[in-house]
Amino acid sequence: LHANEMLKRKFCKYLEEVKGFSRGSIESYEGAIWLWQNFTENKSFFLFKADDVTRFKDWIKSKKKANQQQVSLSYCYDMLRYLRVFFGWVADQKGGRLKIKRTDIEYLRLTKKENQIVLNPKSISCPSMQEVREVIESIDSNTEVGMRDRALLSLALLTGARIKALSTLTVQCFDEKNFTLYQDPKLGVETKFSKRIVSVLLPLSYTEPLDYFIKWVRYLKEQKNFEPADPLFPATKIMPEGSNLIGYHSDGDVSNRKWNTTGPARKIFETRFNDAGKPYYNPHSFRHLLVQEIMKMPLTEEENKEVSQNFGHEHLGTTFGSYGY
């Protein structure tokens, strides 16, 4: 229905311009709405009823992923959560105020038992500090690529910054005088919910990463003549090879180009763990490790709050409840 598509566009514009959601978050909502349209055969959103919700929940729980595994309860929880927001918004629009009952929207929930399964904290696997130390120390820093990779893992350990932010940092984002990293969307850094995050490099018992990162920043400025807007972690420089220029190779140098996606940065973590003969842990696991290390420190309530803000969290519970357990 044309009316459905117009409502979807209007809703996505609302998420972007009013709520400030990122493109990725908006696509999550679009995916949930598409599922609802698929199930109801594109019935008008204004004809939303609790009976349809009951059947929809059974339908979505029975769905399978591409590998034929059953979708998880977490997936179902998220889809229902997105749809609650959407239909709550639709109910406030002209044409929906008299047709959609708020009580019907509340049916877009899992059972209490299923919610407990989804929301109970899960044990997250993360490396030990010793494993990270061995990985970082194993990196050959005789090339620019090696220096970059060692600095990348070091900064992830010192700040717990998300991989999207790490991949889009520029030289101007780091204040060496105050040991502060500015994850600022105004500087081109991509953060969750486009939030500005000010992170102080945290002191750890393993002190070498701070030195590795500082040396890298100074090398970019003094030896590579990088400008403030140049990438803090630039792409590898690739050179054509052969007389007919077919094929490419790397001399271990970096260019001044930024990465277009997080793929190269993620691959660096995987490669460096594998090269060190260690089980691979993804970049996000460094956030968990860092909180675990912080929880060992005798911090005051005020200091704990500062640590939470360092991670970009507004509430202590997010930092010490979702991480570090």
Side-chain angles (χ1 to χ4, degrees):
L1 289 177
H2 178 68
N4 277 358
E5 295 308 309
M6 293 301 293
L7 277 172
K8 280 170 59 178
R9 288 186 189 180
K10 188 177 178 181
F11 175 67
C12 291
K13 184 177 181 180
Y14 162 78
L15 292 180
E16 180 181 8
E17 298 185 7
V18 178
K19 304 299 288 185
F21 283 13
S22 67
R23 184 64 239 170
S25 296
I26 294 172
E27 287 175 356
S28 297
Y29 281 89
E30 289 178 321
I33 297 168
W34 180 86
L35 280 175
W36 178 264
Q37 289 180 282
N38 185 26
F39 172 74
T40 62
E41 298 181 343
N42 209 26
K43 182 192 294 186
S44 170
F45 293 140
F46 292 133
L47 297 179
F48 176 86
K49 300 295 180 186
D51 288 344
D52 288 335
V53 175
T54 300
R55 292 192 296 272
F56 174 76
K57 288 193 288 188
D58 292 335
W59 176 77
I60 194 174
K61 290 176 189 176
S62 68
K63 286 183 68 63
K64 293 184 178 181
K65 297 184 285 188
N67 61 6
Q68 295 302 307
Q69 289 186 345
Q70 207 78 20
V71 298
S72 66
L73 276 179
S74 295
Y75 171 82
C76 298
Y77 174 89
D78 286 336
M79 294 302 104
L80 294 174
R81 176 167 60 90
Y82 297 142
L83 287 172
R84 277 203 312 277
V85 175
F86 173 64
F87 280 109
W89 176 86
V90 172
D92 287 334
Q93 306 306 302
K94 183 179 179 181
R97 293 165 188 164
L98 298 177
K99 295 180 180 179
I100 298 180
K101 296 179 181 178
R102 291 284 179 178
T103 52
D104 285 356
I105 296 174
E106 288 303 308
Y107 278 79
L108 286 163
R109 297 181 184 275
L110 297 176
T111 65
K112 185 176 181 180
K113 182 178 180 180
E114 289 170 335
N115 277 332
Q116 288 177 336
I117 294 173
V118 172
L119 298 177
N120 280 343
K122 303 174 182 66
S123 178
I124 303 297
S125 179
C126 70
S128 67
M129 185 60 74
Q130 181 59 32
E131 286 176 313
V132 172
R133 178 197 291 264
E134 291 179 21
V135 171
I136 292 177
E137 295 300 330
S138 73
I139 299 174
D140 181 0
S141 61
N142 290 320
T143 65
E144 291 180 351
V145 166
M147 293 171 62
R148 177 201 64 193
D149 294 0
R150 189 175 65 174
L152 175 64
L153 269 68
S154 294
L155 187 61
L157 180 63
L158 292 165
T159 63
R162 290 183 171 87
I163 192 64
K164 190 69 172 179
L166 290 170
S167 301
T168 53
L169 290 168
T170 53
V171 173
Q172 63 193 327
C173 293
F174 181 61
D175 177 0
E176 183 178 343
K177 181 179 179 181
N178 296 302
F179 294 92
T180 301
L181 185 72
Y182 294 94
Q183 301 175 53
D184 192 342
K186 291 182 179 179
L187 300 178
V189 184
E190 297 184 30
T191 62
K192 190 173 183 179
F193 303 131
S194 298
K195 183 185 296 184
R196 181 177 184 269
I197 303 171
V198 179
S199 302
V200 176
L201 274 57
L202 296 170
L204 299 171
S205 56
Y206 172 37
T207 60
E208 285 82 355
L210 178 59
D211 184 49
Y212 297 151
F213 176 67
I214 296 295
K215 282 183 177 179
W216 173 244
V217 174
R218 291 176 180 173
Y219 179 82
L220 290 178
K221 292 179 178 179
E222 299 169 7
Q223 303 299 320
K224 300 288 286 184
N225 297 316
F226 267 37
E227 299 293 333
D230 284 331
L232 190 56
F233 299 110
T236 301
K237 187 176 183 179
I238 303 297
M239 306 290 290
E241 64 180 9
S243 58
N244 54 2
L245 301 182
I246 297 177
Y248 297 89
H249 76 281
S250 169
D251 290 330
D253 293 337
V254 298
S255 64
N256 63 349
R257 295 182 298 104
K258 67 177 183 179
W259 289 316
N260 294 322
T261 69
T262 62
R266 292 180 186 278
K267 189 64 178 178
I268 287 171
F269 277 76
E270 182 180 359
T271 299
R272 294 307 182 179
F273 269 88
N274 289 337
D275 288 349
K278 299 298 177 184
Y280 168 60
Y281 290 93
N282 63 39
H284 200 76
S285 68
F286 278 49
R287 288 172 70 84
H288 292 271
L289 171 60
L290 186 54
V291 175
Q292 285 186 5
E293 292 299 307
I294 291 168
M295 291 173 71
K296 298 174 183 178
M297 303 177 185
L299 302 183
T300 65
E301 190 69 17
E302 183 179 5
E303 289 169 332
N304 280 328
K305 179 63 177 177
E306 290 170 353
V307 166
S308 186
Q309 292 173 341
N310 220 58
F311 280 80
H313 297 150
E314 295 181 9
H315 307 289
L316 284 172
T318 304
T319 307
F320 298 104
S322 298
Y323 295 87
Y325 40 79

